[in-house]
Amino acid sequence: MQEQYIPPFQKEEKLKSILEENNDDRENKITEEKRILTYLSQLKNGEKPDAYIILGIPVGSSKDEIKKRYRELIKLFHPDLHRDDPDKLDISKCLNTAYAQIK
């Protein structure tokens, strides 16, 4: 089967949109990481931050929403995917603790 011809300008537009999506994903991941690290520092200082805030979900979320959000975050910050970054291990522990509190 022969591939459909795509004009070069359309290839550029498609590539730009893919790069923009990847950049947005990267920015979201950085924002999530900063938020979680903030609450992780509170845990280390003996404070007990709200588990809903750690997971970034509203209070009263359904069990399915909580589970979905937890899985999204744990996939982003799993320590096996980031062996060189010790913060990822702390983040995953923090996420596990928060999820255990509200599941």
Side-chain angles (χ1 to χ4, degrees), residues 34-91:
K34 285 180 182 177
R35 182 177 53 75
I36 294 169
L37 285 173
T38 299
Y39 292 103
L40 181 62
S41 67
Q42 288 180 355
L43 280 174
K44 287 180 179 178
N45 291 332
E47 300 173 33
K48 194 167 185 174
D50 187 6
Y52 288 95
I53 294 173
I54 292 172
L55 293 176
I57 54 176
V59 175
S61 296
S62 71
K63 290 195 181 271
D64 289 337
E65 291 170 329
I66 295 167
K67 189 176 194 177
K68 180 181 176 186
R69 182 66 177 154
Y70 167 75
R71 287 184 174 179
E72 287 173 2
L73 291 173
I74 209 69
K75 282 181 187 177
L76 281 177
F77 301 112
H78 200 279
D80 289 347
L81 300 175
H82 308 280
R83 295 185 189 274
D84 299 337
D85 191 352
D87 282 343
K88 299 300 190 265
L89 178 61
D90 291 338
I91 289 172

